[in-house]
Amino acid sequence: VTGPRGYRIHVGTAGIKDDTRDLLIVETTPAAVAGVFTRSRFAGPSIGLSRATVAAGRSRGLVVVSKNANVANGPAGVADAEELQALAAGVIGADADSVVVASTGVIGRRYPMERVRAYFSPLRWPAVADGGFDDAAQAIMTTDTHPKIATATVGGSTLVGIAKGVGMIEPDMATLLTFFFTDAVIDPAALDAMLRRVVATTFNALSIDTDTSTSDSAVIWANGLAGPVDLDAFEAAFGGVALALVKMIAADGEGASKLIEVRVTGARDTASAKLVAKAIVNSPLVKTAVHGADPNWGRLAMAVGKCSDETDIDPDGVVLSIGGIELYPSPADETTLALAAEHMAGDEVVLGAELGVGDGAFTAWGCDLTEGYIRINADYTT
Amino acid sequence: VTGPRGYRIHVGTAGIKDDTRDLLIVETTPAAVAGVFTRSRFAGPSIGLSRATVAAGRSRGLVVVSKNANVANGPAGVADAEELQALAAGVIGADADSVVVASTGVIGRRYPMERVRAYFSPLRWPAVADGGFDDAAQAIMTTDTHPKIATATVGGSTLVGIAKGVGMIEPDMATLLTFFFTDAVIDPAALDAMLRRVVATTFNALSIDTDTSTSDSAVIWANGLAGPVDLDAFEAAFGGVALALVKMIAADGEGASKLIEVRVTGARDTASAKLVAKAIVNSPLVKTAVHGADPNWGRLAMAVGKCSDETDIDPDGVVLSIGGIELYPSPADETTLALAAEHMAGDEVVLGAELGVGDGAFTAWGCDLTEGYIRINADYTT
């Protein structure tokens, strides 16, 4: 991946948890920045530091630790996060509060700070700026099975996005970690508004397991080295890059074997459509039916039905489909069920619910629920 | 189980799905009745008929089909439900609208009505009133591995409760199916109020898999043959019987190996405590950690944290425990983690979250998430 101009990258292994890559530093020429973060009440101290940096609208870069979330460690954890931010800022020659901090991994364990200090001590910039964005995408993985990266060009500018995350994922403001870097000129206010619009229909439409992380962060930097671009064209490209990352995350969900796309149409409004789409994509009975390629459309009816506060939904007006094949109210028969089962045997399963109320629509993404999810999560810390 | 006076029971096999027991009729002398039902927008026609019966406050009995939900079958399904109600009422010699109807099983398939009519045709009452409440509890099972029944005596009266359900269970008004029969004198209005209070802290505190059924029904009959009782004592006994059934259902959750009890205290109010308790008991990451007997208390922090609208929760005021052993904020160490793991190796796991805000409390019940749940649900209809 050829990235945008003005960014320098370092990846390495500080020994946070084991001997795999666990540290990323990205430096940029002074850039506009915007970010959205988890709404968790147990948000980690990295989130607090990054919120302050993003609020200022300008940033010099990013430091990420990918094998320890540094969450629920009290005042000591806050001090560790501040020290990490200062160490990274020192290496790239920037003010500490201009560096965004992100951290994911196990909750409730402190960083091994002696190792962190020993790692940072000999680093000299830009001598160690040794990697590309592919390396960056790889360095931020925790239990991901492969890196997630997507790119686009708009006018003379380039946009690259990276993301990580396979579990504890129902982002409320953003996904576990996703970062976007561009050399387009976009001022902080426009960048912030654009990020929120893009996240609303991409990362906030994703759920692996209904569990919102304490570390979710989505941040975009725009350092302007490529000059101005058409903002509408840029936003469209940004949306495409974000959606590509969302689909990669859903397909790589813990234990997942299939990507699920839920298309809800005909709702009263977008909020109602989103509520129903999330109810379907999060239903363990729907997720296991997809895993078994079982065209049990009754579970779609159940999931729509449990949105009991959406009192304008009348079963008589609802149309349910799998892979575009209508199964309700047209009575499902052997032929339609066989076609639906064939669609479900593929890697990407599309579930549809037309509610027959208005023109609100929302599409959500998730994955099937498998024995693999159980195995991965039944003994994560031990 | 010796039941209350005045009830007669018939169980049998009408061939609804296969050759297992699938039909239950309970007749009572004219009784006060109260019921609560699913709020699903896809509630089946049995629910509509039963709501009408319960609204009248008086009932002569119950008919249950346990291998087919008769949901999402359109006008034909409504006609089938009405015919079933009339057939059962004819057998016991009652008005059709005095009989409560309940039905569970697969969604979207019609009853085999020829077989149903052939089954009812030769039945003569009370000659076929051939069973006890143990048989009734057994006859209403779908995928349950064992019947659920509990009983209590209050003054001269007896109360017996039966229930079924192992999946698609996060009751909104009641659980999949639960029925209570007593010979105490309780008027319909008092019975209704009592039922709602009892259900609020028992069945509505239960979640197997967050999926609210289209068929949930909880109904109590009181035929008065034992005369008046102390209503407070009766309500306490009723709560105990309901709680016993809830624990049986949670422990028998699809694929479950452990019962989970989540005790939330120190919340702003009961609603806030319930929201947090449900977030914990429904978290797939908490459920898999319990399955693995893994004292990963960080997942409790995550689940509390994702209740992001409960803005009065401050991590500094929260205390998290497993089996009564505090793991946060007192730093968990090898000794406390080992004790927590030992507790989690048992059949009943108690998770605690003290929020440090007010005195609202709520206890919820559920079960662990296992490979068995995936296997059972990946191919239910096929």
Side-chain angles (χ1 to χ4, degrees):
Chain A
V1 172
T2 305
R5 279 155 280 191
Y7 292 88
R8 286 192 287 215
I9 291 165
H10 167 81
V11 298
T13 303
I16 298 292
K17 182 184 176 193
D18 50 32
D19 59 358
T20 59
R21 277 189 181 172
D22 53 25
L23 195 97
L24 166 69
I25 303 172
V26 180
E27 181 238 336
T28 175
T29 55
V33 68
V36 289
F37 302 94
T38 184
R39 294 177 63 215
S40 172
R41 303 299 302 159
F42 262 90
S46 308
I47 299 291
L49 296 175
S50 297
R51 278 207 179 97
T53 300
V54 163
R58 305 292 297 178
S59 167
R60 285 292 314 283
L62 165 71
V63 59
V64 184
V65 164
S66 60
K67 299 293 190 297
N68 183 323
N70 185 26
V71 166
N73 287 323
V78 175
D80 291 348
E82 288 171 346
E83 185 173 350
L84 176 71
Q85 185 185 40
L87 286 168
V91 167
I92 65 174
D95 293 337
D97 61 7
S98 74
V99 174
V100 170
V101 183
S103 195
T104 76
V106 68
I107 292 172
R109 295 213 188 134
R110 289 188 58 190
Y111 294 146
M113 287 308 294
E114 287 303 321
R115 271 185 240 163
V116 171
R117 288 176 202 123
Y119 181 82
F120 271 93
S121 176
L123 293 191
R124 293 294 172 270
W125 206 258
V128 295
D130 48 7
F133 283 97
D134 291 311
D135 300 290
Q138 197 271 334
I140 62 173
M141 291 163 50
T142 308
T143 51
D144 303 58
T145 63
H146 55 263
K148 284 99 183 165
I149 184 164
T151 187
T153 57
V154 186
S157 77
T158 300
L159 169 69
V160 61
I162 62 175
K164 61 84 56 178
V166 284
M168 201 179 282
I169 294 193
E170 179 165 5
D172 197 3
M173 289 297 285
T175 192
L176 202 48
L177 290 185
T178 184
F179 303 115
F180 301 89
F181 308 92
T182 182
D183 45 13
V185 172
I186 308 175
D187 72 69
L191 198 62
D192 181 69
M194 189 186 293
L195 174 65
R196 288 171 194 279
R197 285 192 297 268
V198 166
V199 164
T201 58
T202 56
F203 288 96
N204 284 359
L206 168 70
S207 180
I208 301 293
D209 56 6
T210 78
D211 277 342
T212 302
S213 163
T214 51
S215 306
D216 294 341
S217 302
V219 182
I220 181 167
W221 288 262
N223 65 22
L225 294 191
V229 294
D230 179 278
L231 288 183
D232 290 337
F234 188 90
E235 182 163 339
F238 185 9
V241 167
L243 184 57
L245 292 172
V246 161
K247 289 187 173 186
M248 288 181 215
I249 290 170
D252 197 27
E254 284 177 337
S257 68
K258 293 170 193 296
L259 171 72
I260 301 177
E261 179 169 312
V262 176
R263 298 178 187 164
V264 173
T265 54
R268 183 180 64 248
D269 51 30
T270 305
S272 176
K274 180 177 179 181
L275 192 145
V276 174
K278 283 290 192 84
I280 295 172
V281 85
N282 281 330
S283 159
L285 290 172
V286 170
K287 288 158 72 83
T288 48
V290 169
H291 180 49
D294 176 3
N296 188 344
W297 61 269
R299 293 183 183 173
L300 292 179
M302 176 281 299
V304 172
K306 76 175 177 175
C307 301
S308 53
D309 291 334
E310 304 306 287
T311 50
D312 49 5
I313 299 176
D314 178 346
D316 290 343
V318 172
V319 180
L320 303 174
S321 64
I322 296 177
I325 299 141
E326 180 180 329
L327 299 171
Y328 174 91
S330 303
D333 59 23
E334 277 187 31
T335 307
T336 54
L337 288 173
L339 284 169
E342 191 182 321
H343 169 75
M344 294 177 84
D347 290 341
E348 301 199 3
V349 175
V350 178
L351 307 176
E354 156 65 41
L355 303 183
V357 175
D359 56 7
F362 196 83
T363 301
W365 290 272
C367 60
D368 57 343
L369 177 59
T370 72
E371 294 90 340
Y373 183 88
I374 312 296
R375 281 194 299 272
I376 290 167
N377 286 302
D379 58 356
Y380 178 64
T381 60
T382 52
Chain B
V1 172
T2 305
R5 280 155 279 191
Y7 293 88
R8 287 192 288 215
I9 290 165
H10 167 81
V11 297
T13 304
I16 298 292
K17 181 183 177 192
D18 50 32
D19 60 357
T20 59
R21 276 189 181 173
D22 52 25
L23 196 99
L24 167 68
I25 303 172
V26 181
E27 181 238 335
T28 175
T29 56
V33 68
V36 289
F37 303 93
T38 184
R39 294 178 63 215
S40 172
R41 303 298 304 159
F42 263 90
S46 308
I47 299 292
L49 295 175
S50 296
R51 278 207 178 98
T53 300
V54 163
R58 306 292 296 178
S59 168
R60 285 293 313 283
L62 165 71
V63 59
V64 184
V65 165
S66 60
K67 298 293 190 298
N68 182 323
N70 185 25
V71 165
N73 288 323
V78 175
D80 291 348
E82 288 170 346
E83 185 173 350
L84 177 72
Q85 185 184 41
L87 287 168
V91 167
I92 65 174
D95 294 337
D97 62 7
S98 74
V99 175
V100 171
V101 183
S103 194
T104 76
V106 68
I107 292 172
R109 294 212 190 135
R110 289 188 59 190
Y111 295 145
M113 288 307 294
E114 288 303 322
R115 271 184 241 163
V116 170
R117 288 176 200 123
Y119 182 82
F120 272 93
S121 177
L123 293 190
R124 294 293 174 270
W125 206 258
V128 295
D130 48 7
F133 283 98
D134 291 311
D135 300 289
Q138 198 269 334
I140 62 172
M141 291 164 49
T142 308
T143 51
D144 303 58
T145 64
H146 57 263
K148 285 97 184 168
I149 185 165
T151 188
T153 57
V154 186
S157 77
T158 300
L159 170 68
V160 61
I162 63 175
K164 61 84 55 179
V166 284
M168 202 180 280
I169 294 193
E170 178 165 5
D172 196 5
M173 288 297 284
T175 192
L176 202 48
L177 291 184
T178 183
F179 303 115
F180 300 88
F181 308 91
T182 182
D183 46 12
V185 171
I186 309 175
D187 72 69
L191 198 61
D192 181 69
M194 190 186 293
L195 174 65
R196 288 170 195 278
R197 285 192 297 269
V198 166
V199 165
T201 57
T202 56
F203 288 97
N204 284 359
L206 168 69
S207 180
I208 301 293
D209 56 7
T210 77
D211 277 343
T212 302
S213 164
T214 51
S215 306
D216 294 340
S217 302
V219 182
I220 181 166
W221 289 261
N223 66 20
L225 294 190
V229 294
D230 179 278
L231 288 183
D232 290 337
F234 188 89
E235 183 163 340
F238 186 9
V241 167
L243 184 57
L245 292 172
V246 161
K247 289 186 174 187
M248 287 180 215
I249 290 171
D252 197 27
E254 284 178 337
S257 67
K258 294 169 194 295
L259 172 72
I260 301 178
E261 180 169 312
V262 176
R263 298 177 187 163
V264 173
T265 53
R268 182 181 63 248
D269 51 30
T270 305
S272 175
K274 181 176 179 179
L275 192 145
V276 173
K278 283 290 193 86
I280 295 172
V281 85
N282 280 331
S283 159
L285 291 172
V286 169
K287 288 158 72 84
T288 49
V290 169
H291 180 48
D294 175 4
N296 189 343
W297 61 269
R299 294 183 183 173
L300 292 179
M302 176 280 299
V304 172
K306 76 175 177 174
C307 301
S308 52
D309 291 334
E310 304 306 287
T311 50
D312 49 4
I313 299 176
D314 178 346
D316 291 342
V318 171
V319 180
L320 303 174
S321 64
I322 296 176
I325 299 142
E326 181 180 326
L327 298 172
Y328 172 90
S330 303
D333 59 25
E334 276 187 32
T335 306
T336 54
L337 287 172
L339 284 169
E342 190 182 323
H343 170 75
M344 294 177 84
D347 290 341
E348 302 198 2
V349 175
V350 178
L351 307 176
E354 156 64 41
L355 304 183
V357 175
D359 56 8
F362 196 83
T363 300
W365 290 272
C367 61
D368 56 344
L369 177 60
T370 73
E371 293 90 340
Y373 184 89
I374 311 295
R375 282 194 299 271
I376 291 167
N377 286 302
D379 58 358
Y380 178 65
T381 60
T382 52

